[in-house]
Amino acid sequence: MSAIDAFYAAWTNARRTFGAGAPQGGARFDAGARLGDLGADVAAAAPGPLWSGRAASAYAARNTTHRAVFDGLATLDQRLGRSVDRSAAIVTAGRRDLEALRRWVTDAADGVPPGAQQQAQLTRIAGTGLARLTGIVHGAGSDLHGVAQDITGIKTGYDALGFTGEPPAAPIPDVPAAGGDTTDMSSGDIDAIDRANRRLLAEMFDEYQQLPDGQVKTDRLADIAAIREALKVPDSHLVYLEEPADPSQMIPAATSVGDPFTADHVSVTVPGVSGTTRGTIAGMTGEAAELRNEAIDVATAAGSPEHPISTSIATMAWVGYQPPANLGQMSVLSDDLAQAGAPKLTSFLGDLDAASRNPGQTTALFGHSYGSLTSGIALGDGASRYVDNAVLYGSPGFQATTPADLGMTDDDFFVMSAFDDPINSIGAVAPYHGWGSDPNDIIDEDGHLRFRFQHLETSAGDTPIAGYESKTGASGHPDYGRNAGERMTGYNLAAILLDRPDLAVTETPYSWR
C-alpha cells in the first residue's frame, strides 16, 4: 500500500465517523413554545380575589411550582434544540472540510511528475494530508465534546425538574449486582490460579446466561467462548480474569503458555485496534505458543554446553483494556483509551513481578499497533521497572522522543515496522497527535544516519545463528506476530524474549531512503 493509498484509507475511516444522510436539526427536539403556552395556561388558573384562605394559598403555591416546571422545561427544550443544531452544523462542516482535503491531496498527487523523487513527494503530500485529516477530526471531536457537555448540563436540568422523558428501565432479572471479582496472582501458584479463574469463568457464564437477550448478553458470552477456545492451546493457563461490575463492559483476561511465575524468560503481548477479548484472545494465545516454540528453538540453536540459554519460557497474551473497536472509530486518533488502559497494564506487570518465584526472571513487553501506544504510556509512567526489554511494532507512536522517556535505553528498547505497513503514514504524524516522535524517524548523528529508535528487521533474510533456517518477511499491519517460527519478526521477538538482543537482526535506515 502506497502512502497516498494509506491516506485514502485513513480518510475513508474518518469520513465514516461523520455518518451518512442529512444531519437532523434541533427543531423536533424543541417544544419550548408549546411548553411556554402551557405555563401561561397554568398561570391563568391561579386563585383569583374571590378565593382566599389556607386551601387557596396551598393551591397557589402548587400552581407556582407547576408554572416554574413548564417554564424550566421550555428553556431546556430551547437549549436542547440549539445544541442539536450546533451538532448538525459541526458534522456538516467536518464533511465539507474532509471533501476539500481529499480533493487537495488528489490534485497535489496528480501534479507530481514521475522520477526518482516521486515517491518521496507523494509521501510528504500524504503526511501533510494525514496531519490535516487529524486536525479536522480532532477539531470536530472537540467541538462535539463541547456539545455533549452542554447536553449533559441540560439533562441535569431535566433531572432537577423531576423529568427524564423516559420510562423507568426494566431491571435485569436474577443477576447479582455486585460483580468486580478479580484474579489474585499473589500465590504464584499457576495451577491454583488457573483453577480459580476457570471456576470464576464458569460462574460468570451462569450469570450472563440470565441476561435478557440482546447485544450485551451476546458479547459477554462471546468473550467467555473465546477464553475457553484459547485454553485449548496446549500448556495454556488462565492467568488473569476480571468480572466487570457493568455487564456491558468487555471481560478482561490474560492467558499464558507456560508458567510465568517460575520461567526464566517471560513475555507479555498487548493487542491493538479491535483487540477485544472475544475477537483476539484465542488467536493471541495461539501466537504465544508459536513464539514460545521459536524461542525454545533459538535458545537450543544458539546455546552451547559452555554457554547454555535457558528454555524455561512463558509467553502471555494480555487483553486487559478496551482498545478502539476498529480503524473507523474516532478513538483511533485519540489516546483516551490508551491512557485508560496503561495503568491497568502497569498494575498487571507489577502483580506479575511481585508473584514471581524466580528472582532471575526477565520480562519482555511487546505492543502491537494501538497497543504500542498503551505500552509506551505505561512504560513512561513506571511500568519500565518491571520490564527488561520492550518491542513496539506497527506503531502509530508511543509518546516518546527517546527511549529514556520510557525508562528504557537503546540496548533494551526496539521498534519493528514492515516497509508496507499503512500505519507508518500515521506514525509519521505522531508529533501532531502529541504522541512523541515518528517511530520510524531517521536522524543524522555526526554525519551518520540512524533510526531514532533501534529498529529490528522485518524483511526476509538470514539470522546470525550458524546453520539456522532463513526467515521470511512480514508484510502489512497484522503479520508481525503471526507464524513466529517462519518470520523474521518472530525470530527477533524470540531473541528479545530470551534477553539476547545480540542475536536479533537489526535494520539500518538506508532501506528507508
Side-chain angles (χ1 to χ4, degrees):
M1 179 181 287
S2 70
I4 294 297
D5 289 337
F7 165 80
Y8 286 134
W11 184 93
T12 299
N13 289 328
R15 179 60 183 80
R16 289 195 187 107
T17 67
F18 285 85
Q24 293 295 311
R28 66 193 182 103
F29 296 99
D30 182 4
R34 186 157 51 89
L35 289 166
D37 291 342
L38 289 172
D41 291 343
V42 169
L50 299 180
W51 185 21
S52 61
R54 287 186 300 174
S57 297
Y59 175 84
R62 182 63 60 86
N63 182 277
T64 300
T65 299
H66 287 172
R67 169 69 188 273
V69 168
F70 279 115
D71 288 347
L73 289 174
T75 299
L76 291 169
D77 263 33
Q78 290 165 356
R79 285 179 55 191
L80 179 59
R82 289 194 297 269
S83 292
V84 174
D85 282 340
R86 184 181 167 209
S87 176
I90 293 168
V91 170
T92 299
R95 292 176 179 177
R96 182 189 63 239
D97 292 344
L98 284 176
E99 289 295 336
L101 175 61
R102 185 173 63 83
R103 287 195 300 272
W104 178 84
V105 169
T106 299
D107 292 343
D110 289 345
V112 175
Q117 298 300 314
Q118 183 184 42
Q119 289 304 315
Q121 292 183 49
L122 291 174
T123 298
R124 282 195 291 272
I125 291 169
T128 300
L130 286 166
R132 294 180 181 176
L133 176 67
T134 301
I136 292 170
V137 174
H138 275 186
S142 177
D143 291 342
L144 289 171
H145 179 68
V147 173
Q149 288 182 316
D150 290 343
I151 292 175
T152 299
I154 293 168
K155 179 182 181 302
T156 301
Y158 283 128
D159 292 344
L161 292 173
F163 177 79
T164 65
E166 297 180 357
I172 295 175
D174 304 321
V175 176
D181 289 341
T182 303
T183 298
D184 178 6
M185 294 194 296
S186 60
S187 70
D189 184 333
I190 186 63
D191 292 326
I193 292 168
D194 182 63
R195 283 195 303 271
N197 284 335
R198 291 177 190 245
R199 187 164 53 247
L200 174 58
L201 190 68
E203 293 171 357
M204 291 166 63
F205 178 79
D206 291 341
E207 291 178 9
Y208 291 137
Q209 284 276 47
Q210 300 174 52
L211 289 170
D213 291 340
Q215 195 62 50
V216 170
K217 179 179 181 179
T218 298
D219 288 347
R220 295 299 72 77
L221 293 180
D223 285 344
I224 293 172
I227 294 170
R228 288 175 169 171
E229 185 66 25
L231 294 174
K232 294 179 182 178
V233 174
D235 202 21
S236 61
H237 310 275
L238 187 52
V239 177
Y240 180 80
L241 185 68
E242 180 179 342
E243 180 181 7
D246 179 355
S248 70
Q249 300 301 304
M250 182 190 83
I251 299 174
T255 56
S256 175
V257 181
D259 184 349
F261 305 110
T262 61
D264 289 328
H265 305 295
V266 175
S267 67
V268 176
T269 299
V270 181
V273 170
S274 75
T276 58
T277 301
R278 58 190 175 277
T280 301
I281 197 165
M284 286 183 66
T285 305
E287 290 176 2
E290 293 173 352
L291 175 59
R292 183 174 183 242
N293 290 337
E294 174 66 6
I296 291 172
D297 289 347
V298 171
T300 302
S304 66
E306 297 80 17
H307 302 287
I309 302 176
S310 174
T311 57
S312 173
I313 298 164
T315 48
M316 307 183 69
W318 181 80
V319 190
Y321 82 115
Q322 177 65 62
N326 55 66
L327 287 171
Q329 281 198 328
M330 192 176 296
S331 53
V332 172
L333 300 177
S334 164
D335 68 355
D336 289 352
L337 293 175
Q339 291 285 358
K344 299 175 182 178
L345 176 58
T346 300
S347 177
F348 177 79
L349 292 169
D351 290 346
L352 186 65
D353 180 76
S356 174
R357 297 181 174 186
N358 184 346
Q361 185 177 84
T362 67
T363 300
L365 177 64
F366 301 147
H368 177 226
S369 188
Y370 195 85
S372 72
L373 177 61
T374 304
S375 298
I377 295 171
L379 288 170
D381 287 346
S384 58
R385 62 182 177 271
Y386 309 121
V387 173
D388 297 280
N389 299 283
V391 185
L392 305 184
Y393 42 96
S395 177
F398 35 77
Q399 297 200 348
T401 57
T402 67
D405 294 336
L406 306 176
M408 308 296 286
T409 71
D410 284 334
D411 297 323
D412 55 31
F413 179 78
F414 307 91
V415 167
M416 289 196 300
S417 295
F419 75 96
D420 58 350
D421 188 338
I423 291 298
N424 294 339
S425 296
I426 306 297
V429 295
Y432 297 96
H433 292 283
W435 293 358
S437 297
D438 176 1
N440 305 311
D441 191 22
I442 297 172
I443 60 178
D444 189 329
E445 192 173 73
D446 299 326
H448 298 282
L449 295 179
R450 76 173 186 90
F451 284 111
R452 179 182 294 276
F453 306 100
Q454 282 267 46
H455 268 47
L456 302 179
E457 186 62 72
T458 62
S459 298
D462 295 327
T463 74
I465 303 175
Y468 201 62
E469 62 184 347
S470 296
K471 298 297 181 179
T472 62
S475 179
H477 189 60
D479 270 2
Y480 299 94
R482 293 177 177 174
N483 306 117
E486 302 174 6
R487 289 201 169 96
M488 181 63 74
T489 48
Y491 169 83
N492 276 328
L493 289 174
I496 301 304
L497 165 57
L498 293 169
D499 195 29
R500 290 295 303 270
D502 58 303
L503 295 176
V505 181
T506 58
E507 183 181 31
T508 68
Y510 297 101
S511 61
W512 288 67
R513 287 295 189 183

